[in-house]
Amino acid sequence: MTDVTIEFRDVSKRYGTLVANDHLSLAIRKGELMTLLGPSGCGKTTALRCLTGYIRPDEGRIFIDGQDVTDVPTHQRELGMVFQNFALFPHMTVQDNVGFPLMIRNLSKAERAQRVAQALRLVRLEGYESHYPRQLSGGQQQRVGLARALVYRPKVLLLDEPLSNLDAKLREEMRFEIKEVVTRLEITAVYVTHDQAEALALSDRVAIMNRGRLEQVGTPEEIYEHPQSRFVAEFIGLSNFLEGYVQAVDGDTMVVSVGGLQMRIPVLAEAGPGQRVLLFLRPNEVELLRPDDPGGANVFDARVEKVTYLGDTLDYRLTFGQGLTLRVQSDAQRRFGQGAPVRLRFPRVRCWAITGN
Amino acid sequence: MRLARAYGRAMWDARLVLAYTLLLSLTLFILAPFLMIALRSVGKGWFGRLWLPPQLTLDWYRWAVEVGNIPEVMKNTLIIGVIAVAVSTVIGIFAGWAFGRRQMPGKEVLMAIILLPRMIPPITYALGVAQIFYTLELVDTYLGVALAHVSVCAPYAILVLSATFEGLDERVLEAAGVCGANTIKRFFYVVLPLIMPGILASMIFSFTHSYNEFTLTLLTYGPHTVTLPVRTYLAVGDGYWEITSAMAMLMVVPSLLILAVIQRRAKPEKLVGGFKGV
Amino acid sequence: MGTRTADMMRFWRTHASRLITLFLLLPALAGFFGLFFYPMLLTVILSFRPEGQAIGWTLENYTRFLADPDGRWVILLTFILSLGGTALSVLLSVPLALILREKVRGHRFYRLMVLVPLVVPGLIGALGLLLFWGTRGWFNLFLLQFVPFVQRPVAVNYTMHGLIMFYVWLYFPYTCITTLSSLESLDRSIEEAGEVSGATRWQVLRHIVLPLITPGILAGSVLTFMAAFGAFSVPLIAGGNYRPLAVEIYKQISVPIPARWSAASAIAIVMGVLQVIFLSLYMRFVRRAGGTGGPS
């Protein structure tokens, strides 16, 4: 396991009766950008603070580069961190802010200046050396924070919701920039966020957390296409859930009965006939057809309950089968009015199911 | 320099021990005087090198009440305090409204000027106040002494209430208006509850200042308007430490009550915004 | 008559807002002029009058006080006492505030205790201090019984260092509370950033926390200094032969018969001018110190 840079081994942290981290075990590989994703209060920040040493876990150990750091004080852990509220030193210039970790490490003045210049070039902030943080915009301040975290080439870069204090447009720009810097330096990074779009765009792997536990760890594709639980599916932006049970398995396809209808979807390894399953469908992956279009497999009659105009798409609420409702978004070229009969087609490979209820 | 740094480091390493030592000595430093007063006020025949008084007595309290006339003095202090608080609060509300919510040219300068008395030692203008009060025959009247106290309390009330009115959110008033409240209803149901904590804080602190005021009182009091601090001063001059201690004990009780109220109701930072009557 | 009313109405309409403002400020202005400005003016005038007379002008009251070595000693003493008290208050307050910020056990009690000298009349504090530190008080009792080689009581009361200590007791809360509140408004994540960057707690304190709260400490020390400079009740009963300006002024009108109001007024003006000069210098210094740091 030499390629593991960070490892949480069975880490737990409680605040009174509140369990912030519940036997958390997670390994982060060298040079990878791992995102801890989850709603507020899911324990992702606690996990990060355990990593910095600001919080001591009640149980479990934490390893960085194979070394047990659970009892190592924060300042000896050789980490770099970017904060949500930037946390720049307001009484220091940009130069001194970025140079602070080097000053603490007693580097010579000349070397300090050179490394600071290098770090500032990396975040494209040359020429701002003598500015104070309050003279900079939010995006610039966060770049200073990034430079300060990277200047002494730490083993690990931690990012605690670094973009959530920026406005929407800047956020996308910075997202790209952070990704680029991290890739260029080939540094191991842990990124904490509650924004799923950010997590999918940035990460090599995503760890989704809920109530102090890990729900799923995987690449953005795995997480997005094959969520392993209803929580992950919901959090990642799925909104159609259909409950049913397996009727038959036929090669790589299984037939699922949902509200009296038969749907054919890719087979689940562990599912045999009679197994209850939960189907996930993305609103934009269901096809809307006219009622007189030809039928076939996975094509069902439905009725428009409600239409909402969203500009380039229309958002439909449909009813079909025995009391099933479904949200579908389709382009505005084909329009159906309220109460109109339509046909739905579920592309076989787009349906994803998990076992259980 | 190196030595100093090493010393600093050593102190830092022992910080937990040092912290508790500091807290303990501070407690002793601040509270021991009161303990001594308390013991002195109930002790009898406490001479020589004794830690505690050999006999206990309540005689000194009887003396304080009968000879020191403490109930009368307490009454004077309270009446003067109430007048001073009332006048300062009215001044404070009006000026606070003006400074906190109205546009005016040169607001900062005007405010600095009105708050100037806080920057000047009270004894300097106390001389003039005494002169004026002699001419107006306000010396040795409740109103006179109370007005003298207002010069100390009012700047403080203005400061607190300006901040209170400034903190009043215009949008809340607007919302109340949108909800259909007229000016009068808006005042009673929205404005008043919002500024009440500020007014209360200002009143508490004004009263503390008035209760403790000594400088201006000493120059404007007379036989009928002896207040508690003045009484203590006179008693110290007489040299009967036991009786003085008994008086002091009686005086400290209201102060501690005020302290309890402050702790519960207001931020202590506000207390230091104004100055004690030295 | 009709046009008069109309004129008044028009006047009211155009100036209403200002008139209301003026009306609101009226009580404050009346108080300011009646209880501060006019008394100050009287004091100034009186300080230039020959002693005991209502006419004539003279500088004698000033020259006599300032030329007298005793007079200059009083001024020096006032500064020694108030600056000494302020410096010690800062030295006491900064560690104390740092401790109280870390919610140590019983921190509520300690916070409340810091306020005690503020709400208790100064005279009572002085009385208790005199009792505690006196030759028969607990302090000397402790020294004599438990500390070897102490044969006779140590004098604290009515000495200069004793008086400075009393000042600290009375006036340190201003510095302490201001320091504490500026510490508590510090963003904790800034310190965390320092620690993650590799700084020890001590280095974080030295390079980050202290520079950031310096403006707060200085602002608090201004309050302590102002109160200590004008201190009256404590030196009056606990000062002994050490009489700062405020006490000196009072002596002029209470000891000699007839009272020397003009001399007292002159000293009072000297005192007021000194305080204003010193404060403006101090404020400038504070502002410069605050300019390089401080969250703004």
Side-chain angles (χ1 to χ4, degrees), chain A residues 49 75 85 91 104-105 134, chain C residues 187 189 192 197-199 207 296:
Chain A
R49 291 295 188 280
H75 63 92
N85 57 357
H91 60 302
I104 290 300
R105 288 171 174 76
R134 58 175 170 270
Chain C
D187 182 354
S189 66
E192 203 185 336
S197 299
H207 295 292
S296 63

Side-chain angles (χ1 to χ4, degrees), chain B residues 91 99 109-126 129 147-159 209 213 216 273-278, chain C residues 28-40 226-227 230 272 275-276 279:
Chain B
I91 291 179
F99 283 126
V109 178
L110 194 63
M111 188 134 172
I113 290 173
I114 284 189
L115 296 180
L116 199 61
R118 301 187 330 139
M119 305 258 299
I120 308 283
I123 186 97
T124 50
Y125 54 90
V129 169
L147 280 180
H149 286 191
V150 167
S151 66
V152 179
C153 305
Y156 184 65
I158 293 174
L159 201 64
H209 287 290
E213 216 309 312
L216 285 143
F275 297 116
K276 203 155 75 143
V278 193
Chain C
L29 290 172
F32 175 77
F33 282 105
L35 293 168
F36 178 73
F37 186 77
Y38 183 52
M40 280 303 279
M226 280 203 271
Q275 168 144 355
V276 168
L279 273 186

Side-chain angles (χ1 to χ4, degrees), chain A residues 115-131:
Chain A
R115 298 262 292 261
V116 168
Q118 200 182 336
L120 286 177
R121 201 163 337 118
L122 191 70
V123 297
R124 299 193 283 115
L125 266 183
E126 305 103 316
Y128 286 94
E129 285 82 358
S130 54
H131 283 61

Side-chain angles (χ1 to χ4, degrees), chain C residues 20 33 41 50 54 60 74 86 93 98 111-112 114-115 149 162 181-182 193 215 220 238:
Chain C
I20 291 174
F33 282 105
L41 197 67
E60 204 205 329
V74 167
T86 308
S93 297
L98 285 169
R111 274 159 195 257
L112 201 60
V114 169
L115 294 180
F149 310 118
S181 83
S182 78

Side-chain angles (χ1 to χ4, degrees), chain C residues 135-213:
Chain C
T135 46
R136 289 194 286 134
W138 277 9
F139 172 69
N140 271 309
L141 219 48
F142 176 80
L143 287 188
L144 290 172
Q145 294 194 357
F146 296 108
V147 181
F149 310 118
V150 180
Q151 302 299 331
R152 58 178 68 180
V154 176
V156 177
N157 291 347
Y158 311 116
T159 64
M160 184 134 67
H161 54 267
L163 196 54
I164 290 179
M165 191 176 64
F166 289 9
Y167 272 40
V168 173
W169 188 92
L170 210 60
Y171 301 125
F172 92 95
Y174 295 114
T175 311
C176 184
I177 293 169
T178 317
T179 306
L180 189 58
S181 83
S182 78
L183 254 180
E184 285 183 332
S185 65
L186 264 192
D187 182 354
R188 283 269 183 179
S189 66
I190 289 180
E191 287 157 70
E192 203 185 336
E195 271 193 70
V196 174
S197 299
T200 60
R201 294 282 292 276
W202 165 253
Q203 284 170 320
V204 168
L205 181 69
R206 213 165 70 93
H207 295 292
I208 298 171
V209 176
L210 283 184
L212 282 176
I213 61 167

Side-chain angles (χ1 to χ4, degrees), chain A residues 64-75:
Chain A
I64 297 178
D65 261 357
Q67 184 203 349
D68 184 347
V69 295
T70 318
D71 298 311
V72 175
T74 303
H75 63 92

